[in-house]
Amino acid sequence: MKSPLYRWELVQAVTGQRVFGIVRSAGPQEAVAAAEAMLDAGLNAVEVALTTPRALTAVARLAEQRPDALIGAGTVLDEAAARAAVEAGARFLVSPHLNPGVIRTGHRYGVPVFPGAATPTEIVRALEEGADAVKLFPASAVTPSWLQAVRAAIPQLPAIPTGGVTIDDAPGWIAAGAIACGMGSALTSGGAQAAERRVTTLLTRLAQASSPA
């Protein structure tokens, strides 16, 4: 049996490829299929959004069937959802907003939490509350140059742009200082074969992208 990873090790593992997948589906069966398509294509980490009906069923099934994968839960809005996700097997939690209770709950069980923020004020508060990384959401509302400007003032920010990130602009986010990007339909639309091609292309581009020193 493998030893459990520490929280900081989980953060490194989830962001190691500079991208993780996001699944929002009509139900657990579709969520599992979409997640497996991304995992089979080469991703190590996939988040199942709790907006998916019976999402925790999908999280539990993926955690059991894919023990070497990093399965997370997204759209975690409160402490009850955070604890339920961890009990289902989620190894990281993502929120669209900042709820200190979600961070505390995740940390209580050794699980990293990436809360959402959209302004420098929210970003700093998220860091003060102990966020392991900050989800910049929605990324489509800003640009990589915005992140670069923010990081000039907050260089310690571990940013994860999410919401509207594409294969074409993901390398630009990494070059601007993001530690990873969260991506959903940009990877999954078109079925498993299309997802495999996109993931392969994306991983190659991200491996070539350079973060600022």
Side-chain angles (χ1 to χ4, degrees), residues 76-79 82 93 95 97 99-107 113:
V76 180
L77 301 183
D78 53 35
E79 295 173 63
L93 304 177
S95 300
H97 69 317
N99 182 329
V102 171
I103 297 175
R104 286 194 301 269
T105 301
H107 289 182
V113 182

Side-chain angles (χ1 to χ4, degrees), residues 46-205:
V46 176
E47 159 202 336
V48 178
L50 296 191
T51 49
T52 298
R54 302 192 304 284
L56 295 181
T57 298
V59 171
R61 191 176 304 168
L62 288 163
E64 180 179 357
Q65 296 176 356
R66 299 282 188 139
D68 292 329
L70 295 156
I71 307 301
T75 322
V76 180
L77 301 183
D78 53 35
E79 295 173 63
R83 177 166 179 173
V86 172
E87 290 177 343
R91 303 180 75 186
F92 64 99
L93 304 177
V94 186
S95 300
H97 69 317
L98 173 59
N99 182 329
V102 171
I103 297 175
R104 286 194 301 269
T105 301
H107 289 182
R108 185 178 300 132
Y109 300 105
V111 173
V113 182
F114 310 147
T119 67
T121 298
E122 292 175 350
I123 288 167
V124 171
R125 187 175 170 223
L127 294 175
E128 290 173 342
E129 294 290 350
D132 298 281
V134 179
K135 170 183 174 176
L136 299 184
F137 180 78
S140 58
V142 291
T143 63
S145 61
W146 179 87
L147 172 60
Q148 197 165 21
V150 169
R151 290 193 73 255
I154 314 172
Q156 70 274 26
L157 167 63
I160 302 177
T162 306
V165 177
T166 68
I167 292 176
D168 291 331
D169 63 25
W173 285 107
I174 299 302
I179 62 170
C181 296
M183 297 177 64
S185 59
L187 295 179
T188 59
S189 61
Q193 289 186 339
E196 183 174 0
R197 289 194 300 270
R198 292 192 186 103
V199 170
T200 300
T201 299
L202 178 62
L203 292 177
T204 299
R205 291 184 182 179

Side-chain angles (χ1 to χ4, degrees), residues 18 171-177 205-213:
R18 299 181 172 184
W173 285 107
I174 299 302
R205 291 184 182 179
L206 293 180
Q208 296 169 347
S210 58
S211 301

